[in-house]
Every structure is written in C-alpha cells, then in structure tokens.
Amino acid sequence: MSDADIIIVGSGMGGATLAAGLKGSGLRVLILEGGVHLKDTPEARDPEAIFRDGHYRPDETWLTPEGTRFNPGNYACVGGNSKFYGAVMIRYREADFARWPLDHATLAAFYTRAEALYQVRGDAMADPTEPPHDAPYPHPPVPHEPEIADLSRRLKRAGLTPSPLPLAVDLDRWLARASTPWDAHPDTNGGKLDAESAALACALDDPDITLRTNVSVHQVEADGARITGLLTSAGRLTAPRIVLAAGAVHTAALLLRSANDTHPTGLANRSDQVGRNFMNHNTSAVLALSHRRNRAIYQKTLQVNDWYGDGLGNVQLLGRVSTPILAAQTGLPRPFAALIANHAIDFYAMSEDRPNPESRITLRGDDIVLDWKRSNWDAHLSLVAKLKEGLRRAGFPVVLSRAFDRRTPSHQCGTARLGDDPAHSVCDPIGKAHDLDNLYICDASLLPTSAAVNPSLTIAALALRQADHLRNMP
C-alpha cells in the first residue's frame, strides 16, 4: 500500500496552499518538510539576533560559478520563506501575463480564494493598476501609522498615486507579541498569515492530511514516464501522485539530482529547461531622509505603482529599518546609523528580472551552483532615479539607495517554467510535468516571468488551481 494518495514535498506557500485546497477531498495527503516548526524565542523579535547574528540563517551554502561559497538566506522550516516574508499579497497585473499560457481572468477566481485563505487586508479601488476583482478584499487595509499617513499626503501633493499595500497581517495579534515590524521577522505567534498559520492550519484540520517534519528528500525515483517513489531521510515513500514544492532552487536541484538512464539530464528535463530561467527580482533599499523624526513601528503599509505601466516596477515601503538593523546591514557606526534610521522612511524598489536560459541552477557534486545573470538592470536604475526624484519633490532632501545582492532571496522563481510547448517548458499550465504522468510542481519554479510584484499570491492562486485539478481526477 502506498504511503498516501498525494505526497507534497515542501510546506511553503505552494505546498501548504495546495494542501489547503485539497482539504475535504477524501484524498490522503502527506506533506514532507525538511525543517521543523519555528519556536517562539526571544530572538524572534530581536533585530540584532536576526540581522547582525544571522540567528535564523541556515548553515546551507551554495556556490557561485567561480566556486565561491555563500549563504543564500533561504529558510528551511515549516512554512518556508513565508515565515519571514513581508506578507504582501498582491496580484500580478493583467499585462504581466503577456508571456504566460494563461491570463489574469483564468486566475481571477483563484486569486479571490487565496485572498480569503490568507485574510488579505487591502483596497482594490485605490490603485489604478489593480486588475479587476470579483470580490473585495476580505478586510480593510492595515492602517497607516501617522508618519505614513503624512507620507501618503505628501506623495499625492508631489503628483504620485500612493495606495495601501495588500497585506496578510493580523496587526493586533502581531503587535501583541512585540512592537516590531513584520518584514523579515519570523512569525511565531500567527500575527502574519503565512503558509503555516493560514494554509497549513486550514489543511491540517482534515484528518486525511498529515505533516511530517525533519524529512529530507534526496532523490525522486522514476521508471519510464512514472514516478515510483521518493528516497528520503525517513526511508522510501510512495504515492500515486508526487508534488514538488521545495522552492525554485531546491525543486530544480532535486529534479537534476534524480537523473537516471531514461532521464540522463534530470527528471522532467527533455526540454533542457530544468534549472534554467532563474529569476530574482532586481531590488534596492531606498532611504528618504528629512528633519522629521520617524516614530513608525511597522511602516510597511503603502505602495506606489506610477511607473509600473512604463515597465519600471513597483515601489513599496520596507519594514521599519531601525538602528540595529541599519548598523548590522551596512557596518555604519551605531551613532551614525541611529541618526539616519531615526530620520528615514524606508522604501523597497522592485523591478522585473526577465527570463534568461543562461541564468540557471546546476549541480557540482552535492553542491548547488547558482549562476544568476541579472537582466533589466537599466530599468531598475530608472525606477530608483524616478523614486528619488519624486521623494525630493515630496520634501525629502536626502535620498540614499543600495541594491540587494545574491545573498538576499528576492522572490526566486522560474526554474521549471509552465507552458503549452513541451520543447520550451517543464510543466503544463496546471503544473504537471510534460514528461511524467504523475509528477507535479507547485511553487515559484513554475513562474514563466517574475513580473515586478511579490509572487506569493500568484503562487497561492496557482496552487488552488492545481488542487481543483487533482481533487477532480479519477
């Protein structure tokens, strides 16, 4: 007898949402997670422990093509990277689907379901770039703090169109634990609605759905066009259908590591696209300084999309960059860091990284090699320049910026892209591997483009669509 009807490898945004979508289906679902549950410890809200000491950074290292080791900053725990995310649940814009085999209208109902599952707070009418909704957000926007409400007024006077960020945050619950930002801070009390606190909590209400933690998957076994089992740290496990949801890097690495005589370049890789088209948003921190003191705690409630239609990207607030965070991230002397942090409002400028087959994940022995080739960088520099200009008009005489590097996982995606053509994609539009009858992928690997907004909601919508497909199969 098989161990389940469906085994899902990974409990992040894709895997957990897929499990939630399978709730009540009668299918036996087993979720395998290589990490464990995060515990609520003092470090969870200690910025120096997080940003200076790297308390939550894993021991895992990857290689650059030149052989230099680096810590990628991905998290292995129940809920995956969503435990640390900024809780931004924003839809891809309609134009973002131009190079997809489906459009926003196809995903619209699944977007709405995902917004309900993650209890998103927002206002669908405030941003002119927002695509059509068939229902309002489940809750009104997270309220601006006084400094951010003032910022919004000043941006409007400067000719910009700020709007509320759609957020999966229970603000009262988050702040009841400690008065800190949530962006890049781990969720250990359910204040953020992440893959664990929202989707897994829903899924595990079903006795047919179980989660096993601290189980690593080493290899996927295949015989011809069928997956026959998983070789794991807990032994060999089997199910009629297998779903990989380990994240854009680890899903691709697992497929490559599972090469056999029938699939010599890796599973699902007849197209030679597995591991290729790696994308990681072009992002910069932009700090706007003035004589005004910024007393905001969480800050991350506002976005600006005035330049989105020009192909430059999205601007949103970062979680509050406090003195210890700024000192840890820049090496500035603490008094100087305090002067900047106390008078800055912190922005996150994000531009699309376009697919490039030569930007890829490969293996070197047991090591993952990341050869990330940035694209569209000039557009990102233009976005940062336009943002700086707008902020100066809004009354910020000094504006600083700094790009994020490869150590920051800025929405990694694209390594097992979906598409209609098996010669140029890994999976079909549902997420089933073209080459294998019973293998599915359900994470950011599927995304054929990165757009210029946070991908979490799109991953969740694709997962719910895949769940409907699986639960309706004979």
Side-chain angles (χ1 to χ4, degrees):
M1 182 178 176
S2 61
D3 295 283
D5 297 314
I6 298 173
I7 295 178
I8 301 171
V9 180
S11 66
M13 185 61 63
T17 307
L18 175 65
L22 293 171
K23 179 181 178 180
S25 65
L27 295 167
R28 294 180 301 128
V29 179
L30 172 60
I31 308 161
L32 303 178
E33 169 55 50
V36 297
H37 294 274
L38 289 181
K39 295 180 180 179
D40 190 13
T41 64
E43 289 83 3
R45 297 297 184 93
D46 181 346
E48 292 188 297
I50 297 168
F51 295 94
R52 184 193 67 191
D53 302 336
H55 180 79
Y56 291 99
R57 293 185 80 94
D59 294 332
E60 178 183 15
T61 60
W62 301 344
L63 296 178
T64 67
E66 298 74 30
T68 302
R69 290 195 177 275
F70 68 98
N71 185 305
N74 292 54
Y75 301 99
C77 57
V78 176
N81 285 334
S82 77
K83 296 302 295 180
F84 294 79
Y85 79 153
V88 177
M89 291 296 236
I90 185 171
R91 298 184 182 206
Y92 272 23
R93 278 36 196 154
E94 289 177 289
D96 291 331
F97 289 94
R99 289 174 284 170
W100 283 52
L102 46 85
D103 56 15
H104 177 272
T106 303
L107 278 188
F110 300 102
Y111 270 135
T112 300
R113 284 170 53 187
E115 287 159 354
L117 177 63
Y118 286 90
Q119 302 176 39
V120 179
R121 278 78 168 156
D123 180 357
M125 306 302 292
D127 178 6
T129 72
E130 185 75 25
H133 284 235
D134 54 12
Y137 284 111
H139 302 280
V142 176
H144 291 324
E145 293 164 288
E147 292 82 0
I148 306 309
D150 177 66
L151 169 68
S152 181
R153 291 189 291 268
R154 290 158 62 194
L155 291 174
K156 288 176 182 177
R157 288 197 297 267
L160 300 177
T161 316
S163 61
L165 262 179
L167 293 165
V169 175
D170 181 337
L171 182 62
D172 291 339
R173 187 168 182 176
W174 179 265
L175 294 179
R177 170 64 176 77
S179 294
T180 71
W182 56 78
D183 198 7
H185 287 66
D187 175 29
T188 55
N189 76 322
K192 278 193 287 194
L193 284 304
D194 56 39
E196 179 189 23
S197 60
L200 273 181
C202 171
L204 295 178
D205 278 342
D206 185 338
D208 289 327
I209 300 176
T210 57
L211 169 69
R212 292 184 64 178
T213 62
N214 208 23
V215 177
S216 300
V217 178
H218 306 308
Q219 189 173 350
V220 182
E221 288 185 330
D223 183 6
R226 289 196 64 79
I227 301 302
T228 56
L230 297 173
L231 301 183
T232 82
S233 58
R236 184 173 183 272
L237 301 173
T238 64
R241 297 183 182 91
I242 301 294
V243 181
L244 302 185
V249 173
H250 284 290
T251 286
L254 183 56
L255 290 171
L256 295 172
R257 193 174 288 122
S258 300
N260 60 27
D261 290 342
T262 308
H263 306 273
T265 63
L267 297 186
N269 200 25
R270 177 163 49 103
S271 63
D272 190 34
Q273 294 299 301
V274 170
R276 294 187 181 273
N277 304 295
F278 173 86
M279 294 169 282
N280 195 51
H281 279 138
N282 297 313
T283 57
S284 292
V286 179
L287 274 60
L289 282 71
S290 72
H291 68 278
R292 301 172 181 85
R293 188 176 179 88
N294 183 6
R295 293 181 171 83
I297 295 170
Y298 50 86
Q299 182 174 267
K300 193 179 179 72
T301 55
L302 179 147
Q303 66 176 337
V304 175
N305 284 317
D306 290 84
W307 304 290
Y308 204 92
D310 299 329
L312 301 186
N314 164 271
V315 173
Q316 57 189 251
L317 290 176
L318 276 170
R320 185 79 172 89
V321 178
S322 61
T323 298
I325 294 174
L326 188 61
Q329 295 295 294
T330 64
L332 290 171
R334 197 174 179 98
F336 190 41
L339 180 65
I340 295 174
N342 290 339
H343 292 273
I345 295 179
D346 319 294
F347 293 81
Y348 186 63
M350 176 165 49
S351 304
E352 182 174 16
D353 185 21
R354 292 174 180 161
N356 174 359
E358 299 309 311
S359 182
R360 63 187 302 194
I361 301 298
T362 56
L363 300 177
R364 189 175 299 168
D366 293 331
D367 286 312
I368 291 171
V369 181
L370 171 60
D371 187 1
W372 175 31
K373 300 186 184 300
R374 281 188 189 270
S375 69
N376 204 32
W377 188 244
D378 287 345
H380 182 67
L381 294 178
S382 295
L383 175 66
V384 172
K386 286 183 178 294
L387 174 58
K388 287 182 173 181
E389 179 185 341
L391 289 170
R392 292 187 187 105
R393 292 199 309 271
F396 295 92
V398 178
V399 186
L400 309 173
S401 65
R402 181 177 180 178
F404 289 100
D405 62 18
R406 70 179 63 242
R407 293 173 299 172
T408 303
S410 302
H411 312 141
Q412 299 162 351
C413 62
T415 56
R417 62 195 325 210
L418 57 80
D420 289 320
D421 183 358
H424 296 98
S425 58
V426 176
C427 295
D428 69 16
I430 288 293
K432 190 189 81 67
H434 289 300
D435 300 352
L436 294 154
D437 296 336
N438 61 335
L439 178 68
Y440 292 78
I441 293 174
C442 190
D443 57 27
S445 307
L446 293 175
L447 303 182
T449 62
S450 66
V453 294
N454 313 58
S456 294
L457 188 71
T458 298
I459 296 166
L462 289 170
L464 292 174
R465 184 168 181 257
Q466 188 177 111
D468 279 8
H469 171 81
L470 290 171
R471 67 189 296 151
N472 291 324
M473 289 186 70

